[in-house]
Amino acid sequence: MNFITLLDYVGTFAFAISGIRLASAKHFDWFGAYVVGFVTAVGGGTLRDLLLGLPPFWMQNVSYLVVSGFAFLFVVGLRKYVIRLNNTFFIFDAVGLGLFTVVGIQKSIAVGYPMWVGIIMGTLTGAAGGMLRDVLLNEVPLIFRKDIYAIACICGGLIYYLCMYLDLPAAPTQFIAACSVILIRILAVRYGISLPALKGETRPAPKEK
Amino acid sequence: MNFITLLDYVGTFAFAISGIRLASAKHFDWFGAYVVGFVTAVGGGTLRDLLLGLPPFWMQNVSYLVVSGFAFLFVVGLRKYVIRLNNTFFIFDAVGLGLFTVVGIQKSIAVGYPMWVGIIMGTLTGAAGGMLRDVLLNEVPLIFRKDIYAIACICGGLIYYLCMYLDLPAAPTQFIAACSVILIRILAVRYGISLPALKGETRPAPKEK
Amino acid sequence: MNFITLLDYVGTFAFAISGIRLASAKHFDWFGAYVVGFVTAVGGGTLRDLLLGLPPFWMQNVSYLVVSGFAFLFVVGLRKYVIRLNNTFFIFDAVGLGLFTVVGIQKSIAVGYPMWVGIIMGTLTGAAGGMLRDVLLNEVPLIFRKDIYAIACICGGLIYYLCMYLDLPAAPTQFIAACSVILIRILAVRYGISLPALKGETRPAPKEK
């Protein structure tokens, strides 16, 4: 197992933990919590693969199912430690976000899509799992309302293509882009930076459609 | 840019506006509002393309992303005008509905599917974006409860195939079908026509599944 | 129409009934109720086909649309009988669950996927329609919180591969696996067996993602 694979599992683990914890807060049963954790971890990449016309990545390799299983056992078995490890999970989650973004961009480039599709696919890979998680939890998706999350992916994507434009080799390009995502994410949370919310209209929402 | 392309952008713009306004009513941030607008505009066509096994249309052409961006700027920058333009948006939305329905049917015929699949694909193209929008907003989809919306697409689809059956050339067939959708939609809203709602059973909902 | 096809329609009918009844409890209009019924019936198989890269099964054969239509007419026209037939629907639903699971596994094997993918695809075919139904109804998916439902599919899937491992021919393998799903489902409901729910943490849900 090389270093990238290890980071991939760390990200998968952290994403699954986030889904399982939120599912447990809503009193899902074991099966439901596991599924929500798994969807959080692989949902973004699955949506990306469907849009790119590729076979879903997690169906080629049982590891993602297993890593989500470990995340489940961890939440069930080590409940007390989970809360104490909040900061660790946050870092793992940011690492996953950075790595997943880069993976999404690479896959998109491999299929031959231009930059703007690559950035969208990178952002989907990183952020859409959490969106699907919130749909299954019957909540308004958090990424639409709080924090810099998907925006970190978008910035990382822009930096990825900037590095490519500057003719940097693949490895440093990927490293710089992933680190940018992680850094932006951490700084945004640390300094409480977020996007402005849109103000609702004073009149009731339109009913045309 | 020919006339059909212009109409396509008008429809995309109106659909995106509808998503962004509803997102702003729920205090989504800028990113969330833009995404909801974009999903409202391209979600139906994306679902259609995935079901037909085609590459998603908006990934081939950056225009849809840009038009949704203009819709976002419009809602953010010209808030006061947005409410006054309710009737204009309603017409634009109906035009989009008619055009998207016809596009969905054409794509479905091109892949070789029979009439009933074409009508479903036309309806999905027109109406599923609004359904996905409501799922992301964590609301019960409006198209399942109010107004004649998807039904207008279905009627337009039937008229499309009637025209084909009568051996009309492609252009008038498309024109008649799209106008039917627009007309049915406008008349239904104007005269408050809607489908009957199903009455719930007096006993609680079944729990079998 | 052979026996398997008949069972397929019985399952489709029962799944559609479940969706239409729940939609009527939420006062959906006729169109909305029909769509929710149809999605409940074919949604799981559609998700499976998209993930496996196959054309959606219901687009090849108009029967599923028609059977869902009969389910709709049945709920609208024979309201009083519907409640009395609760137990019948429960059995039909269990039969559908068993059959759909086996169909999902077979399709997955035909595409060349290993056992664990087959079990997931079988479970998706049986249980994901109900999940999509609940998303459209804006409810927390029932399969994540109550009863043994998806778990019956997973057990049936394991039994399917056990039979294959024991070199049983295809027909008895399919029969045994489907019956296992049906039996587990019926026994679980009869004896009130369910999975334990996860306890929420005492501190508020994490906000990292």
Side-chain angles (χ1 to χ4, degrees):
Chain A
M1 186 164 74
N2 63 31
F3 186 62
I4 299 293
T5 309
L6 177 67
L7 288 186
D8 194 14
Y9 294 165
V10 164
T12 301
F13 186 78
F15 276 44
I17 291 270
S18 120
I20 296 164
R21 291 177 74 181
L22 289 169
S24 84
K26 294 207 116 183
H27 304 290
F28 279 36
D29 66 20
W30 287 11
F31 170 77
Y34 177 78
V35 170
V36 172
F38 186 66
V39 168
T40 309
V42 308
T46 305
L47 200 54
R48 173 204 64 210
D49 288 340
L50 289 178
L51 291 171
L52 291 177
L54 303 172
F57 71 103
W58 58 268
M59 288 165 61
Q60 321 305 316
N61 180 343
V62 78
S63 309
Y64 300 96
L65 210 66
V66 174
V67 171
S68 301
F70 279 118
F72 176 75
L73 293 177
F74 192 87
V75 174
V76 171
L78 302 169
R79 183 175 306 280
K80 284 175 193 168
Y81 293 89
V82 171
I83 294 175
R84 280 190 221 156
L85 290 171
N86 263 351
N87 288 327
T88 310
F89 289 136
F90 170 66
I91 299 296
F92 282 14
D93 192 280
V95 168
L97 192 67
L99 188 75
F100 291 1
T101 304
V102 168
V103 170
I105 294 172
Q106 283 175 286
K107 283 211 170 190
S108 182
I109 290 173
V111 178
Y113 275 110
M115 183 180 93
W116 61 274
V117 173
I119 294 175
I120 295 175
M121 291 302 131
T123 306
L124 272 179
T125 311
M131 188 192 75
L132 292 173
R133 173 200 68 198
D134 294 340
V135 167
L136 293 183
L137 292 168
N138 199 25
E139 303 273 358
V140 171
L142 209 55
I143 58 160
F144 294 158
R145 306 226 286 183
K146 277 191 71 171
D147 298 350
I148 298 295
Y149 199 87
I151 295 291
C153 303
I154 295 173
C155 294
L158 290 169
I159 290 165
Y160 190 105
Y161 284 97
L162 180 67
C163 291
M164 274 181 71
Y165 181 77
L166 298 173
D167 270 332
L168 262 65
T173 295
Q174 294 158 14
F175 182 76
I176 293 171
C179 289
S180 309
V181 174
I182 298 168
L183 201 69
I184 293 168
R185 173 69 185 141
I186 291 175
L187 291 177
V189 168
R190 164 133 198 154
Y191 295 104
I193 302 163
S194 64
L195 285 180
L198 275 178
K199 278 180 215 127
E201 292 156 19
T202 44
R203 281 175 43 178
K207 61 166 194 179
E208 290 91 326
K209 168 144 179 284
Chain B
M1 185 163 74
N2 64 30
F3 187 60
I4 300 292
T5 309
L6 178 67
L7 289 186
D8 193 14
Y9 294 164
V10 164
T12 302
F13 186 78
F15 276 45
I17 291 271
S18 121
I20 295 163
R21 290 178 75 182
L22 289 170
S24 82
K26 295 207 114 185
H27 305 291
F28 279 36
D29 66 20
W30 287 11
F31 171 77
Y34 177 78
V35 170
V36 172
F38 185 65
V39 168
T40 309
V42 308
T46 305
L47 200 53
R48 173 205 64 211
D49 288 339
L50 289 179
L51 291 171
L52 292 177
L54 302 171
F57 72 102
W58 58 268
M59 287 164 62
Q60 321 305 317
N61 179 344
V62 78
S63 308
Y64 300 96
L65 209 66
V66 173
V67 171
S68 300
F70 278 117
F72 176 75
L73 293 176
F74 192 86
V75 174
V76 172
L78 301 170
R79 183 174 308 279
K80 285 175 192 165
Y81 295 88
V82 171
I83 293 174
R84 281 191 222 155
L85 290 171
N86 263 350
N87 289 327
T88 310
F89 289 135
F90 170 66
I91 299 296
F92 283 13
D93 192 280
V95 168
L97 193 66
L99 187 75
F100 291 0
T101 304
V102 168
V103 169
I105 294 171
Q106 284 176 285
K107 282 210 168 193
S108 182
I109 291 173
V111 177
Y113 276 110
M115 184 181 93
W116 61 274
V117 173
I119 294 175
I120 295 176
M121 292 300 131
T123 307
L124 272 179
T125 311
M131 188 192 75
L132 291 173
R133 173 200 66 199
D134 294 340
V135 168
L136 292 183
L137 292 168
N138 199 24
E139 302 272 359
V140 172
L142 210 54
I143 59 160
F144 294 157
R145 307 226 284 184
K146 278 192 69 170
D147 297 350
I148 298 294
Y149 198 86
I151 295 290
C153 302
I154 294 172
C155 295
L158 290 169
I159 289 166
Y160 190 104
Y161 284 97
L162 179 67
C163 291
M164 274 181 71
Y165 180 78
L166 298 173
D167 269 332
L168 262 64
T173 295
Q174 294 158 13
F175 182 77
I176 293 171
C179 288
S180 309
V181 174
I182 298 168
L183 202 67
I184 292 168
R185 173 71 184 139
I186 291 175
L187 290 178
V189 167
R190 164 133 200 155
Y191 294 104
I193 302 162
S194 65
L195 285 180
L198 275 178
K199 278 179 214 131
E201 293 156 18
T202 42
R203 281 174 42 177
K207 60 165 192 179
E208 290 91 326
K209 168 142 180 289
Chain C
M1 187 164 71
N2 64 30
F3 187 60
I4 299 292
T5 310
L6 178 66
L7 289 186
D8 193 14
Y9 294 165
V10 164
T12 302
F13 186 78
F15 275 45
I17 291 270
S18 123
I20 295 163
R21 290 177 74 181
L22 289 170
S24 83
K26 293 207 114 184
H27 305 290
F28 279 36
D29 66 21
W30 287 10
F31 170 77
Y34 176 78
V35 170
V36 172
F38 185 66
V39 168
T40 310
V42 309
T46 305
L47 200 53
R48 173 205 64 211
D49 288 340
L50 288 178
L51 290 171
L52 291 177
L54 302 171
F57 71 101
W58 59 267
M59 287 164 63
Q60 320 306 317
N61 180 343
V62 79
S63 309
Y64 300 96
L65 210 66
V66 174
V67 170
S68 301
F70 278 118
F72 175 75
L73 293 176
F74 192 87
V75 174
V76 171
L78 301 169
R79 184 175 306 280
K80 284 174 194 167
Y81 295 89
V82 171
I83 292 175
R84 281 190 221 156
L85 289 172
N86 264 350
N87 289 327
T88 310
F89 288 135
F90 170 67
I91 299 295
F92 283 13
D93 192 280
V95 168
L97 192 67
L99 188 75
F100 290 0
T101 304
V102 168
V103 169
I105 294 171
Q106 284 175 285
K107 283 211 169 192
S108 183
I109 290 172
V111 177
Y113 275 110
M115 184 181 92
W116 62 273
V117 172
I119 295 175
I120 295 176
M121 291 301 131
T123 307
L124 272 178
T125 312
M131 187 191 75
L132 292 173
R133 173 200 67 198
D134 294 340
V135 167
L136 292 183
L137 293 168
N138 200 24
E139 303 273 359
V140 172
L142 210 54
I143 59 158
F144 294 156
R145 307 226 285 184
K146 278 191 70 170
D147 297 349
I148 298 295
Y149 198 86
I151 294 290
C153 303
I154 295 173
C155 295
L158 290 169
I159 290 165
Y160 189 104
Y161 283 97
L162 179 67
C163 291
M164 274 181 70
Y165 180 77
L166 298 173
D167 271 332
L168 262 66
T173 296
Q174 294 158 14
F175 182 76
I176 293 172
C179 288
S180 309
V181 174
I182 298 168
L183 201 68
I184 293 168
R185 172 72 185 139
I186 291 175
L187 290 178
V189 168
R190 164 131 199 157
Y191 294 104
I193 300 163
S194 65
L195 285 180
L198 275 177
K199 278 181 214 128
E201 293 157 17
T202 43
R203 282 174 42 176
K207 60 167 195 180
E208 289 90 327
K209 169 144 179 285

